[in-house]
Amino acid sequence: MQPSEPTRVAVPADVRARVMPAVLDELTRWGVERFSIEALAERHHLDAAMVYRYWGDRRQLIVDAVLSDVETVSSGIDTGSLRGDLRAFVGKVTGRINSEVGRTLMRALVMDRRGGHDEATRLRFFRAHFAAMRGVVDRARERGELRDGVNTLAAVQIVLSPLYIRVLYSDVPVDDEYCAAIVDMAWHALARK
């Protein structure tokens, strides 16, 4: 039996709206290693006690910021076709990971345990992206566009892995040509012919 996460107080929308942009700003400026709730509170005129009350610690605050960032990527993808959905999904992911915040968060998640992000944290991040891409795959399956036997996990990895690798090993932005190549590769791997 796995230990359950500590019960947290629900974060009011107005608090979240003030804190999340500040967290992303701090992560961009200082990275995960130098991120501090006290510095965040001082620079962004927030109450550190309030931040601790809602998030408990810096790790949970960073994870929450990463996951809320992923939610913006996954919302509103339904163009009516597999190719269109792949294009929209890759475009949203690329827009995020091309940003300084996106690169910082992505790189922070692959650091070793000294960075404070364990396997459970990485799994939560991947599950959020997986859920968004699963919607693309499920809709294509319902429309009859997917070839038989498509493994959803493999489909997600076909799309996300090249993007992740490019961001982790290069500071060169992911361009439209690269995105088009990923979409084309994924479409050929997944679509019914």
Side-chain angles (χ1 to χ4, degrees):
M1 184 170 166
Q2 291 186 332
S4 61
E5 285 192 25
T7 304
R8 292 189 357 222
V9 178
V11 181
D14 65 320
V15 172
R16 180 175 293 284
R18 283 191 343 227
V19 174
M20 287 299 113
V23 172
L24 295 175
D25 179 63
E26 287 293 299
L27 288 169
T28 300
R29 288 177 191 232
W30 307 106
V32 172
E33 304 83 18
R34 293 176 52 200
F35 181 87
S36 155
I37 289 177
E38 289 73 18
L40 164 87
E42 184 177 327
R43 261 188 289 282
H44 296 276
H45 310 290
L46 299 168
D47 178 17
M50 179 231 10
V51 174
Y52 280 110
R53 180 172 60 249
Y54 290 117
W55 283 277
D57 60 28
R58 70 185 283 284
R59 181 185 153 277
Q60 188 57 49
L61 181 59
I62 293 168
V63 168
D64 200 22
V66 170
L67 293 178
S68 69
D69 194 56
V70 171
E71 288 170 12
T72 64
V73 169
S74 64
S75 61
I77 298 174
D78 187 359
T79 66
S81 74
L82 174 59
R83 188 181 286 272
D85 286 358
L86 289 170
R87 208 176 287 128
F89 182 73
V90 167
K92 282 189 168 200
V93 170
T94 300
R96 200 66 200 129
I97 63 177
N98 271 342
S99 72
E100 191 64 33
V101 171
R103 283 180 187 273
T104 299
L105 295 176
M106 181 67 66
R107 289 172 178 171
L109 286 171
V110 296
M111 291 172 42
D112 61 24
R113 290 181 187 264
R114 291 176 300 207
H117 299 287
D118 57 10
E119 182 67 19
T121 303
R122 288 187 291 274
L123 189 57
R124 286 177 66 191
F125 176 78
F126 181 75
R127 280 183 180 154
H129 269 139
F130 178 81
M133 183 59 192
R134 178 179 202 120
V136 169
V137 171
D138 289 347
R139 281 189 300 279
R141 187 172 279 126
E142 288 168 10
R143 291 188 300 257
E145 293 181 272
L146 221 56
R147 68 176 177 75
D148 293 335
V150 167
N151 177 292
T152 304
L153 177 60
V156 172
Q157 291 172 336
I158 285 170
V159 174
L160 291 176
S161 296
L163 296 171
Y164 288 175
I165 294 296
R166 181 88 172 253
V167 168
L168 293 174
Y169 293 102
S170 173
D171 288 331
V172 176
V174 178
D175 59 22
D176 291 341
E177 186 177 328
Y178 190 72
C179 289
I182 291 168
V183 167
D184 189 56
M185 173 187 68
W187 185 82
H188 282 290
L190 303 173
R192 182 180 303 278
K193 303 294 188 270

